[in-house]
């Protein structure tokens, strides 16, 4: 038996001890995050899932709470209003995605240039994103007034009076579009900041190399800027989709889901069931279904990010 063979077990023991210490250190570092997730994410979801399987009312009653199994989920899936709200929020998402992300992208490209008072301009464009949605709804509610609101006056002036005043919030054909317009304006500043960060992360050497090769500004944009922003595009797209599915405040303040349920959304439907109709178990079933929808979107995000090696 050689000297090296006899000393190998003795050398492995300190290595194992170091690995064990490192493992405990890593567990200690992630423990606070895991504890917070357990308190604020996992536990509320488990409580919601349990409540969804009971006939729990909002206000306690003398009669005991009964376990009803999957009955609330069955009622949700057989309620036409739920499918209407899901369709409406999907329609809202499809409309707001290109408008909000496109506006944020174009604004970020503009503000990434060397402009005078660049920081001031960035602050002004970001201002709607930090303004309370309630305040934004009050302002836009004034703009949407029918028939003599400022927006109708602008449309009438630009069309020379050929377009009649539009009932932006009272017409089922226009109500959701109005919500989309308001929401995109209020929230595009958040995506703009993400795009600006993405633009600043593209190495300037790539643009210099493209200029040396004689590439035009359009070619530099297409072959340098767009590939460099690919992970940013994916992130912004998924985050905006998740936010869109949580649409509530605008609907609650401006339309209350109307007219003719054309702006009813899943979250507004859930709040009405829980607080107005006092069916807490039923509302919990809706929240669990919404959670599953958002979870599927998050899984899609993870898949896309892996594809683009982020």
């Amino acid at each position: 038996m050689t000297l090296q063979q006899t000393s190998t077990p003795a050398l492995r023991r300190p290595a194992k001890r170091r690995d064990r210490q490192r493992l405990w250190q890593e567990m200690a570092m992630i423990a606070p995050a895991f504890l917070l997730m357990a308190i604020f994410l996992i536990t509320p979801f488990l409580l919601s899932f349990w409540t969804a399987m009971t006939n729990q009312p909002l206000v306690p009653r003398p009669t005991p709470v009964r376990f009803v199994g999957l009955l609330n989920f069955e009622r949700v899936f057989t309620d036409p209003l739920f499918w209407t709200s899901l369709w409406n929020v999907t329609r809202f998402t499809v409309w707001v995605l290109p408008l909000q992300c496109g506006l944020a992208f174009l604004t970020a490209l503009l503000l990434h240039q060397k402009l005078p008072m660049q920081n001031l301009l960035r602050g002004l464009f970001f201002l709607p994103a930090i303004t309370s949605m309630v305040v934004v709804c009050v302002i836009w509610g004034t703009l949407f007034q029918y028939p003599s609101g400022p927006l109708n006056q602008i449309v009438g002036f630009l069309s020379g009076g050929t377009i009649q005043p539009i009932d932006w919030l009272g017409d089922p054909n226009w109500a959701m579009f109005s919500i989309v317009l308001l929401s995109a304006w209020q929230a595009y500043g958040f995506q703009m900041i993400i795009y600006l960060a993405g633009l600043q992360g593209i190495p300037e050497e790539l643009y210099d190399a493209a200029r040396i090769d004689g590439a035009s500004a359009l070619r530099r944009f297409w072959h340098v800027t767009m590939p460099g922003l690919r992970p940013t595009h994916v992130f912004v797209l998924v985050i905006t989709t998740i936010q869109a599915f949580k649409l509530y405040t605008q609907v609650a303040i401006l339309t209350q889901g109307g007219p003719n349920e054309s702006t009813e959304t899943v979250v507004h439907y859930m709040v009405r069931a829980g607080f107005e109709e006092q069916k807490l178990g039923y509302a919990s079933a809706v929240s669990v279904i919404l959670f599953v929808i958002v979870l599927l979107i998050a899984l899609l995000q993870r898949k896309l990010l892996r594809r683009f090696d982020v």
Side-chain angles (χ1 to χ4, degrees):
M1 184 178 292
T2 63
L3 178 62
Q4 183 178 2
Q5 288 174 326
T6 54
S7 61
T8 299
L11 292 174
R12 286 178 179 173
R13 279 195 291 273
K16 288 183 178 179
R17 194 178 301 116
R18 285 196 299 270
D19 293 342
R20 198 178 301 117
Q21 290 176 350
R22 187 183 306 165
L23 177 63
W24 280 109
Q25 290 174 353
E26 292 174 353
M27 292 180 63
M29 292 177 66
I30 66 172
F34 182 79
L35 182 63
L36 291 176
M37 284 184 58
I39 294 175
F40 294 105
L41 293 177
I42 299 175
T43 303
F45 173 75
L46 294 178
L47 289 175
S48 296
F49 188 72
W50 169 253
T51 306
M53 302 182 76
T54 67
N55 65 343
Q56 175 75 50
L58 180 65
V59 180
R61 297 172 180 170
T63 55
V65 176
R66 289 188 300 107
F67 179 79
V68 297
L70 299 177
L71 183 61
N72 284 324
F73 293 96
E74 181 182 348
R75 288 175 178 171
V76 172
F77 286 123
T78 55
D79 187 355
L81 184 56
F82 169 74
W83 292 107
T84 301
S85 64
L86 187 59
W87 164 247
N88 286 338
V89 79
T90 304
R91 190 161 50 108
F92 171 82
T93 304
V94 171
W95 288 358
V96 83
L97 267 181
L99 181 61
Q100 184 170 325
C101 296
L103 189 61
F105 181 52
L106 294 177
T107 309
L109 287 177
L110 174 65
L111 297 181
H112 187 60
Q113 309 302 317
K114 294 180 180 178
L115 301 173
M117 298 185 293
Q118 189 181 50
N119 291 332
L120 177 63
L121 289 175
R122 289 178 179 178
L124 290 176
F125 279 99
F126 186 65
L127 191 59
I130 59 174
T131 305
S132 169
M133 180 57 81
V134 176
V135 176
V136 172
C137 288
V138 172
I139 295 173
W140 278 80
T142 305
L143 295 176
F144 284 138
Q145 279 184 355
Y146 175 80
S148 58
L151 201 54
N152 273 326
Q153 293 184 8
I154 294 173
V155 172
F157 175 76
L158 294 177
S159 66
T162 56
I163 298 179
Q164 298 300 314
I166 300 171
D167 192 358
W168 298 96
L169 298 174
D171 187 338
N173 297 320
W174 285 96
M176 183 55 80
F177 174 77
S178 304
I179 298 293
V180 169
L181 201 63
L182 178 156
S183 304
W185 178 84
Q186 191 273 339
Y188 83 96
F190 177 71
Q191 284 84 352
M192 180 196 71
I193 292 297
I194 298 175
Y195 272 125
L196 275 174
L199 288 170
Q200 293 172 357
I202 300 175
E204 192 63 30
E205 290 80 7
L206 295 178
Y207 290 102
D208 295 336
R211 290 189 188 94
I212 293 174
D213 291 340
S216 63
L218 182 60
R219 282 185 174 273
R220 291 198 300 273
F221 170 77
W222 190 252
H223 293 289
V224 178
T225 304
M226 290 302 285
L229 286 179
R230 187 177 297 161
T232 309
H233 285 309
V234 176
F235 179 75
V236 168
L237 184 70
V238 176
I239 288 295
T240 308
T241 303
I242 294 175
Q243 290 178 342
F245 268 90
K246 296 189 294 183
L247 174 66
Y248 171 72
T249 307
Q250 302 93 306
V251 172
I253 294 176
L254 293 176
T255 63
Q256 292 290 317
N260 298 333
E261 300 165 356
S262 61
T263 59
E264 183 68 277
T265 64
V266 176
V267 176
H268 189 256
Y269 172 80
M270 176 183 67
V271 173
R272 284 177 53 184
F275 289 92
E276 296 181 10
E277 302 173 14
Q278 300 193 4
K279 297 186 292 187
L280 198 57
Y282 186 83
S284 297
V286 179
S287 71
V288 171
I289 294 172
L290 180 63
F291 172 81
V292 173
I293 294 173
V294 175
L295 178 63
L296 291 176
I297 295 173
L299 292 176
L300 177 63
Q301 175 191 22
R302 185 179 177 184
K303 184 177 180 181
L304 290 174
L305 292 178
R306 280 184 173 179
R307 174 178 295 183
F308 293 116
D309 297 328
V310 179

